[in-house]
Amino acid sequence: MAISAKLLGEDEYVVVSTRTHWKAMIGPVLLLLVVAGLGAFLAAIVPSGSLQSPARIAILAVGVVLIAAFAVRPFLDWFFSTYTITNRRLITRHGVLTRTGRDIPLMRINDVSYEHGLIDRMLGCGTLHIESAGERGQVVLPDVPHVEHVHLQMSDLLFGGPDGKMGDGILDDEEPPEHMRRRPPEQPPKQQPRGDDGDTIFSSGDER
């Protein structure tokens, strides 16, 4: 399920790699059970005669087409579609025969949020909304397992964790963009000690 290490850059590592939640397979599984049960029932009630075998073959063919289109294909799409978050990028991969992918550098992500309704909270999943500075704008990742945990990990990467690190996928030896640089707090000017008469006291090394 994890992305191949060959596709990762130097000093890049996987933080989260997951498929969509198994909730996406509830509909295809129910359809599989209904089609299989209904097909068996229809095949059993076909009257005997010269048309019995052709009728059963037709029922079987229709059932296979329905199962392939609405159960097997969704399963393969679910199995081969992944969401991967590294310390540098958000990587999405979809498709079986025709693969499509999208990589978004974390430095281009402006905001990340999530939402999940009552059923999603019961199942432990939700939808992740990602606002990027690219041309496509918002990226929506539906049915993300443990969406709150994934959101927290992305927030740590983007905005820095509790230890105050830079975040945004920027390595320690990299210079962040100007608008993302953290300016050190201004220090008050250091005052020189003064004597009783208000004159500045210098050390013997400073006197000339």
Side-chain angles (χ1 to χ4, degrees), residues 31-41 63 67:
L31 179 65
L32 173 63
L33 297 176
V34 170
V35 170
L38 183 60
F41 173 76
I67 291 174

Side-chain angles (χ1 to χ4, degrees), residues 54-192:
R56 288 180 174 176
I57 292 175
I59 293 172
L60 178 62
V62 172
V64 168
V65 171
L66 291 176
I67 291 174
F70 299 104
V72 176
R73 181 177 178 181
F75 170 77
L76 293 177
D77 289 339
W78 170 81
F79 187 82
F80 289 102
S81 299
T82 58
Y83 304 144
T84 303
I85 301 171
T86 73
N87 60 318
R88 309 294 296 278
R89 296 176 290 165
L90 168 65
I91 305 170
T92 61
R93 297 289 185 266
H94 302 283
V96 182
L97 298 178
T98 302
R99 298 282 287 171
T100 59
R102 184 178 182 186
D103 295 6
I104 303 176
L106 295 186
M107 293 173 56
R108 289 185 172 271
I109 296 178
N110 300 324
D111 181 68
V112 56
S113 60
Y114 71 92
E115 63 178 7
H116 54 176
L118 178 61
I119 296 179
D120 286 342
R121 280 155 46 192
M122 294 173 59
L123 296 177
C125 63
T127 301
L128 202 64
H129 297 269
I130 298 169
E131 297 284 347
S132 70
E135 297 179 356
R136 299 185 183 180
Q138 189 181 71
V139 177
V140 179
L141 306 181
D143 299 330
V144 177
H146 310 292
V147 66
E148 290 180 314
H149 180 64
V150 174
H151 174 265
L152 177 61
Q153 289 183 299
M154 280 204 70
S155 297
D156 285 348
L157 288 172
L158 290 169
F159 312 116
D163 55 358
K165 292 184 179 180
M166 175 59 66
D168 290 307
I170 299 173
L171 300 178
D172 294 337
D173 58 350
E174 288 183 327
E175 186 71 14
E178 179 66 29
H179 70 281
M180 298 173 66
R181 297 177 185 173
R182 293 185 178 178
R183 296 179 174 84
E186 295 184 359
Q187 299 292 338
K190 188 175 181 180
Q191 296 182 353
Q192 297 286 352

